[in-house]
Structures are given as C-alpha cells and as structure tokens.
Amino acid sequence: MSSPPPALHILAPDEPPAFEVVNPEGPSSAVLLCDHASNAVPRSLPELALQEEALREHTGWDIGAALLSRRLSALLDAPLVLSGYSRLVIDCNRPLGAPSSIPEVSCGVPIPGNTIDAAEARARADACFWPYHNAITALLDARRDRRQRTAILSVHSFTPSMPGQDRPWHAAVLYGRDRRLAAPFIELLRREPGLCVGDNEPYHVSAGGDYGIPVHGEARGLPCVLLEIRQDGLLSAEGVEAWAQRLAAIYREIEARGLAGGA
Ligand SMILES: [Zn+2]
C-alpha cells in the first residue's frame, strides 16, 4: 500500500491567521464582512508573492475596504470579520471550484502561481477560505441563539475603470434575491448631492459568482447587501472617514425605519 501524500501546509504557525474578528459582541444589528481585506500571501506560496503589481492592485485585494469596514465597525459598534489573505490565494467571495476562486487569470493578468492541482486547491481552502467563513458562521449562530437582530453588510471597493469602460458610479449597491437593505441604501445614497450610485452595477450578486451574501445572508433569511465604494474615494484617511460617516448615518436611518435586522 502506498502512503498518502504529505499534507500541504499553506500557513505556518507564526503567520497571521486567516481571519480577524473585530468587536464580536457588538450590539449593532449590522454584521460587517470584508472578504477582500488583505493582500498578504503565505510564505509557502513564493511564486504568488512575486506578483507584486497584481497584489498591490485590485487583483490582489479591495484597496481601502479594510480601513473603511474598521471605521464602520467602530461607528456602528458592530462586529466585523476580515479575511487575512489575498484573493489571489483563494477568493473568499467565490464558490469553491469556480474559475475565479483561485484565478489563473485575473483582470487580464496571468497568475502563474495559481496553476495548481486539486490537492493544493483543497489545502488553500482549508487554510484560508473555511476558517474565515466558519468564523462568520459561528458569529451568526451565536447571534441567532441570543435572538439578536442581524443584517449583513459586505464591504468592498472597485476600480475606477476597466479596459474600455470608465465607471461613473462613486458607489454601488449590489444584491441578489434580497432587496430589503439594498432598496433603502440606494434611495438614501442617491439623496446625497453629487453622488452617482450604481443599482446592481457594475456587478450584481449571484449564487454562482458570490459566496458571502448568498450563504450568510440569503440562505439564513437575513437582510443583506453588498456595498462597493470606488477605490479613489478611499485613498486618503479623509476619504475613508467621509464614507464611513455617510454609510453609518444611512444605516442608522434604515434601522430607524425598522428594516435593518432579521432574527
Ligand atoms: Zn471585493
């Protein structure tokens, strides 16, 4: 009998964890998720770490999203779960096995470190994808057991332009089957002078192309929305603060209307 191949260790014991939970007992009805918070790469993936430019850009993470979600967590006194590693290692907002889960090409850039076999794909999921999502599940289960009203806000950023397309939206409100939060977010953001707000564009949420909203929101029956802010609004501390204040104020108004939480 042949012995099984040695287990692939993606994260060394001294490396940062695959997720961070901020303010887990936060009393807000909002639970914030930041799937693309980090552009870190584990030491075990040196070929991926060579993709320096891709890692600095949107291909590697959502620029400004971690800072924005941390401020929003503080302003709302809300729990926040952040992923610890780059979306190029494994994308925490894609179903496992989707071509964009561990992309061999991202935004037109080939990612040679991602031509891998099924065993390494499983190892990356075990190291980075499941710990992050299991932390979210545990947090949501605990709130359900406490009968705490909960809504999911997934915080992202997007690039000002794609090849052949400039994006006029300063922010975008994305949703799938559940518009309970999206509709008032769109209404209240559009009240802000000078803001161009995308309604399910430049992307929309789908079970085939997303993970957090369909699984942690829709499948649990929780009101849920994916908020995208254009990167150039998050490049300075003032920009991050302005967006955090704006989104917190809008969320409080939505809460005051009684729309924000499901049990
Ligand atoms: Zn994102």
Side-chain angles (χ1 to χ4, degrees):
M1 269 186 25
S2 61
S3 54
L8 290 163
H9 290 293
I10 300 294
L11 291 185
D14 65 331
E15 287 187 287
F19 65 90
E20 180 188 354
V21 183
V22 175
N23 194 10
E25 308 273 323
S28 172
S29 61
V31 169
L32 305 167
L33 309 182
C34 195
D35 300 323
H36 301 141
S38 170
N39 62 354
V41 171
R43 287 198 303 271
S44 64
L45 305 174
E47 201 177 353
L48 211 50
L50 289 175
Q51 307 284 314
E52 286 178 20
E53 193 180 336
L55 286 165
R56 266 197 310 274
E57 301 298 330
H58 185 69
T59 9
W61 61 332
D62 282 0
I63 292 170
L67 293 170
L68 173 61
S69 53
R70 286 180 194 280
R71 274 304 289 148
L72 206 44
S73 163
L75 290 170
L76 294 173
D77 202 359
L80 161 65
V81 189
L82 305 107
S83 68
Y85 287 90
S86 170
R87 65 196 298 173
L88 287 184
V89 177
I90 190 163
D91 193 321
C92 285
N93 190 35
R94 297 288 182 274
L96 293 179
S100 52
S101 166
I102 300 176
E104 293 186 29
V105 176
S106 183
C107 302
V109 181
I111 311 294
N114 278 352
T115 305
I116 58 172
D117 62 16
E120 182 171 339
R122 259 197 315 278
R124 289 195 197 183
D126 289 343
C128 295
F129 181 92
W130 287 120
Y132 171 70
H133 287 294
N134 290 342
I136 297 167
T137 298
L139 189 127
L140 295 176
D141 284 351
R143 291 173 68 94
R144 180 198 59 206
D145 294 346
R146 290 197 296 268
R147 300 185 186 282
Q148 198 170 354
R149 284 169 71 79
T150 296
I152 308 278
L153 273 61
S154 181
V155 179
H156 294 255
S157 68
F158 65 99
T159 55
S161 62
M162 290 287 278
Q165 185 205 31
D166 280 336
R167 292 167 157 177
W169 315 280
H170 300 100
V173 178
L174 311 185
Y175 50 91
R177 291 183 285 134
D178 186 339
R179 293 187 76 248
R180 283 177 288 178
L181 276 182
F185 258 109
I186 291 166
E187 177 205 329
L188 293 170
L189 278 167
R190 284 184 172 165
R191 244 190 233 174
E192 303 268 318
L195 269 196
C196 178
V197 180
D199 176 343
N200 248 1
E201 46 183 359
Y203 312 106
H204 66 282
V205 172
S206 69
D210 294 81
Y211 191 88
I213 292 292
V215 171
H216 298 302
E218 291 174 347
R220 284 176 175 261
L222 299 175
C224 50
V225 70
L226 193 152
L227 300 171
E228 291 261 15
I229 309 301
R230 206 173 64 193
Q231 275 170 11
D232 50 309
L234 301 176
L235 294 180
S236 67
E238 295 76 19
V240 169
E241 186 63 23
W243 270 111
Q245 295 283 353
R246 176 183 279 147
L247 293 174
I250 287 175
Y251 188 74
R252 287 196 196 99
E253 183 163 347
I254 293 171
E255 267 190 319
R257 294 180 183 183
L259 296 173

